[in-house]
Amino acid sequence: MSYILQIELKHINDSLAIGDTVYYSATQTINEFSVDITGTEGIIKIGECSAINREEGFIRVSGDLNIDPPTANQYLFFSKDNAANLSTIKGYYAEVKIKNDNKTTDSELFQITLNATQSSK
């Protein structure tokens, strides 16, 4: 059975694009952290992202599986198609912007890694 599921979100990840595969997983709160305790068995594929509206705060996911839709306390995530997103950065110049959207809490950055290839000489 085909379906289109509209999911309302407070924040939509900037990397999410149409065509990405969207999943969800059940979580349990342990010491103020939401943790997936079921492992990979608890991961449910919702379908393919078919629309993104960042202004109104929702995404649409198209699928053809018989699943229960995610609830508010479940972890929602996505993956990209490896065939289209497998290359590295090429060129002489790269710029990175790192942003903390949470204005009330400081964040600490532990590590950044970059794999870049010079495209010509």
Side-chain angles (χ1 to χ4, degrees), residues 23-95:
Y23 303 87
Y24 76 89
S25 177
T27 59
Q28 179 178 357
T29 302
I30 300 174
N31 295 331
E32 299 180 23
F33 292 99
S34 293
V35 179
D36 177 11
I37 60 170
T38 60
T40 56
E41 306 87 43
I43 296 174
I44 311 272
K45 177 181 174 183
I46 302 172
E48 184 177 300
C49 181
S50 57
I52 303 168
N53 189 324
R54 287 186 169 80
E55 291 79 29
E56 294 185 24
F58 70 83
I59 64 172
R60 288 194 181 119
V61 182
S62 303
D64 58 0
L65 303 172
N66 187 13
I67 63 164
D68 293 326
T71 61
N73 60 348
Q74 292 176 317
Y75 180 66
L76 191 71
F77 59 102
F78 63 93
S79 68
K80 301 230 175 243
D81 180 12
N82 285 347
N85 297 286
L86 200 54
S87 66
T88 60
I89 297 173
K90 293 183 180 181
Y92 292 99
Y93 176 79
E95 184 175 326

